[in-house]
Amino acid sequence: MVKQEIVMSGIRPTGFLHLGNYFGAVRNYVRMQDEYNCFFMVADLHSLTTHPDTKELRANVRRVIAENIACGLNPDKVALYCQSHVYETGELYLFLNMLAYKGELEKTVTFKDKAKLQPDNVNAGLLTYPVLQTADIIIHRAQLVPVGKDQEQHLEMARNFVKRFNHRYGEVFPEPYAFNYGEDLARVPSLDGSGKMSKSENQMATVYLSDDDELIRKKIMKTKTDSGPTEKNSAKPDYIQNIFLLLQLFSKKDVLEKFENDYNNCSIRYGDMKKQLAEDVVAFVKPIRERTESILNDEKYMREVMEKGAEKATQSAKITMQLVRDAIGLKYY
Ligand code: TYM
């Protein structure tokens, strides 16, 4: 039976999907599609806040759509669409902008990070990024938002905007929450041990779902290790903990236990551990990469998926926008 709550999430097409996107988001999408009414989209408008050059946009949007399907998302079960195909989102964004304050937007961590990365292009879209993200979510009156840990603050802001809207104009929207099945939100570390895995930063520290087998092996074998612990049961440095974290995601339980034991007895061979991890990641990525290629080659199917997705999402958005306009009082005759 489909549960009542509505699910919504999005991914920016600023590059190809990587393991962080998979474990933070897509894995949950696939599981949620059988239990909820789901809306998943490619956030092409958001990508314009940091990537105004649209040369690669088409290829990236198409790949993100195809990769979602290759990971197990069924476009017959969910609305899988492009953000820019749902025009109503822009209108809701405009209304929400009047309920969002400069001070709180300037304090957003992602805004501060991005402003530092592109000091010559601190545009208003970047500042109001969380407002557009809120519009994406609440245009379907969604409550559950499967995302990774890095999106937690945006969800908190979304709840604030929703509370303000409801308080001022009447209860139209439920409050949305970041979602992960019974666990903390996921955060897949970057292979160089500095921060999270991300689409556009250090490409050698990120494993993409499009990487070929050799490249995956190369990236994983290059991860930082040391000469190993010298005292039994000692704490793991961050860069070693990160490899164990990846092992936990990709390898069998007994493999993880073996390396945990070896670490605790000071007999660990990091070379063997990385080789094992590389093979397990290759085995995971390869079928997804191959399915993606064949989906991308099917022009007709790609077009049908996007058209059908836009239709489902627009239908839902139109219903919400009527409620919104009525609630605000934009009715003069
Ligand atoms: P984006 O494109 O940066 O990332 C897409 C999803 O992947 C998750 N993620 C990670 N999870 C764990 N470990 C990592 N290293 C990692 N890197 C990325 C993100 O948390 C996210 O769930 N603002 C959003 C896009 C967006 C959106 C929305 C999301 C636009 N509108 C509405 C939810 C609802 C973003 O930039 O995600």
Side-chain angles (χ1 to χ4, degrees), residues 31-253:
R31 198 167 150 192
M32 293 177 100
Q33 69 182 335
D34 292 316
E35 300 173 19
Y36 298 93
N37 183 8
C38 295
F39 295 86
F40 298 123
M41 59 97 180
V42 184
D44 52 348
L45 301 177
H46 273 115
S47 77
L48 299 177
T49 62
T50 52
H51 292 62
D53 181 349
T54 54
K55 255 199 324 285
E56 290 171 3
L57 189 59
R58 182 175 187 272
N60 286 350
V61 166
R62 293 165 65 85
R63 182 167 276 273
V64 172
I65 295 259
E67 283 177 336
N68 269 288
I69 300 170
C71 287
L73 212 62
N74 180 346
D76 291 328
K77 289 188 185 162
V78 304
L80 178 60
Y81 61 100
C82 301
Q83 186 182 30
S84 61
H85 290 168
V86 180
Y87 309 139
E88 288 72 11
T89 311
E91 186 187 353
L92 184 54
Y93 170 53
L94 183 144
F95 295 140
L96 293 175
N97 269 325
M98 266 66 105
L99 299 169
Y101 300 109
K102 179 169 163 273
E104 65 187 335
L105 295 170
E106 278 172 344
K107 270 192 269 171
T108 315
V109 174
T110 48
F111 171 72
K112 288 196 282 192
D113 288 350
K114 285 176 187 158
K116 229 179 272 165
L117 281 174
Q118 53 182 64
D120 297 331
N121 182 19
V122 185
N123 58 77
L126 203 58
L127 184 68
T128 56
Y129 185 114
V131 184
L132 180 56
Q133 180 160 347
T134 304
D136 293 330
I137 298 167
I138 69 176
I139 195 93
H140 304 300
R141 280 166 291 149
Q143 282 161 286
L144 303 181
V145 187
V147 283
K149 182 100 186 130
D150 58 322
Q151 297 296 310
E152 211 167 21
Q153 190 183 26
H154 290 174
L155 265 296
E156 197 185 315
M157 297 175 78
R159 285 193 293 282
N160 286 334
F161 301 145
V162 160
K163 278 187 219 152
R164 280 176 215 158
F165 184 97
N166 288 345
H167 179 70
R168 183 156 303 175
Y169 301 118
E171 288 287 321
V172 173
F173 300 111
E175 289 177 26
Y177 284 87
F179 179 89
N180 187 18
Y181 280 96
E183 294 168 34
D184 289 342
L185 300 180
R187 180 181 181 277
V188 176
S190 145
L191 294 180
D192 62 9
S194 71
K196 59 164 187 158
M197 205 172 261
S198 84
K199 277 191 221 97
S200 25
E201 276 153 48
N202 180 0
Q203 309 233 326
M204 279 311 280
T206 297
V207 176
Y208 296 91
L209 298 180
S210 53
D211 283 348
D212 66 37
D213 297 353
E214 267 324 296
L215 187 56
I216 295 173
R217 291 191 183 103
K218 199 166 139 196
K219 287 180 178 177
I220 292 181
M221 293 314 287
K222 272 182 64 157
T223 53
K224 176 178 171 185
T225 51
D226 51 30
S227 52
T230 48
E231 265 178 51
K232 284 193 172 184
N233 301 316
S234 53
K236 300 184 184 91
D238 284 354
Y239 50 92
I240 298 295
Q241 180 59 33
N242 283 350
I243 304 178
F244 273 97
L245 224 151
L246 292 168
L247 217 54
Q248 211 174 4
L249 294 175
F250 291 98
S251 304
K252 294 209 178 80
K253 216 167 144 215

